[in-house]
Amino acid sequence: MRDTELIVPPSDLEAERCVLGSIALTPSVLDEVVPILRGPAAFYSAAHGSIYAAMIALAGRGTPPDAVTLRDELRRRGELDRIGGSEAIEAAVVEVPHSSSATYYARIVADRAAVRAVRSAAHTILRAIDGDIPL
């Protein structure tokens, strides 16, 4: 592979959408996925991370993070258009095969996030060894 080719970090956007769709369909699964994901940064897609953060905020206020309340929360935050509008939320809900698999999807997302973190650390170490950055 040439240096000029784009390398896409490990991710699974379908699993990310399935986690979000599972939560929107069955808000109680949020309690199961929060310890697995450990925050919005687990999502490769910034839009998905924003949606997840909004879901956590809604749940923290005692509001179920379903598709309707999520849309309103993202609009209130000024993020609805940035994440792809209501269509992005609807796509996640439609895509999820079954919300009972939310923890399975969350593990996929968390695993990809862990690999990205290791790759990033390795890259930083290699740059330091090459003298590009101080250790």
Side-chain angles (χ1 to χ4, degrees):
M1 179 174 291
R2 288 182 257 159
D3 291 338
T4 58
E5 292 182 40
L6 179 65
I7 299 172
V8 177
S11 59
D12 189 328
L13 298 178
E14 182 180 13
E16 290 184 11
R17 284 188 299 273
C18 285
V19 168
L20 300 172
S22 294
I23 296 166
L25 287 173
T26 310
S28 62
V29 302
L30 185 61
D31 293 336
E32 298 172 26
V33 301
V34 163
I36 296 168
L37 295 174
R38 299 183 183 167
F43 291 86
Y44 176 69
S45 164
H48 293 163
S50 293
I51 293 169
Y52 183 69
M55 289 175 150
I56 291 172
L58 285 166
R61 293 194 307 264
T63 302
D66 59 33
V68 174
T69 59
L70 181 58
R71 182 196 64 233
D72 291 343
E73 175 69 10
L74 289 164
R75 183 178 292 125
R76 185 188 68 74
R77 293 172 171 227
E79 296 181 344
L80 186 61
D81 289 336
R82 187 182 63 74
I83 62 97
S86 296
E87 296 80 19
I89 298 166
E90 292 167 17
V93 171
V94 169
E95 188 164 331
V96 65
H98 201 284
S99 60
S100 66
S101 300
T103 57
Y104 176 78
Y105 308 134
R107 282 190 207 99
I108 293 170
V109 173
D111 287 348
R112 298 305 188 285
V115 173
R116 287 194 307 274
V118 169
R119 285 179 61 160
S120 177
H123 181 71
T124 299
I125 291 167
L126 289 173
R127 285 183 54 213
I129 290 170
D130 288 343
D132 291 346
I133 58 173
L135 269 179

